[in-house]
Amino acid sequence: MKTSRGSATRIVLVGRNRAGYWVALEQGGSFGGLFVNRAQALKYALFENGGHPESIIEVTREIELEIRTSL
C-alpha cells in the first residue's frame, strides 16, 4: 500500500496487553504506545499511519509494547 507521497503505509496493530491496557504497535516495531482505552489507541494509530484506517488491524491475541534502545 502506498500513500499519495509515495511512501509505504504503515500497518498498525491495536489490541490489549496481558495487564489489560491497550497497545498500538507498528508492525515492524518502528513506533508504538500504551493507552488506557481503545479510542485513544486507535486515534494514535490513525495519526501515526497517516490517516489510513484500513491499515489498522485490531487483534484479539495479547500484544506487548517492547521498547528498543540502541547504545
Side-chain angles (χ1 to χ4, degrees), residues 15-24 33-38 41 63:
R16 289 182 178 253
N17 68 8
R18 73 185 100 174
Y21 292 102
W22 286 89
V23 174
L34 188 63
F35 304 90
V36 174
N37 62 53
R38 179 179 176 268
I63 60 174

Side-chain angles (χ1 to χ4, degrees), residues 16-70:
R16 289 182 178 253
N17 68 8
R18 73 185 100 174
Y21 292 102
W22 286 89
V23 174
L25 181 62
E26 192 269 332
Q27 189 174 30
S30 297
F31 59 81
L34 188 63
F35 304 90
V36 174
N37 62 53
R38 179 179 176 268
Q40 289 300 311
L42 291 171
K43 182 178 178 180
Y44 171 81
L46 192 59
F47 175 79
E48 289 295 334
N49 82 353
H52 296 276
E54 71 280 3
S55 298
I56 298 171
I57 300 171
E58 195 164 344
V59 298
T60 56
R61 63 177 171 79
E62 288 181 355
I63 60 174
E64 296 294 334
L65 180 63
E66 294 181 19
I67 299 174
R68 299 181 204 160
T69 60
S70 55

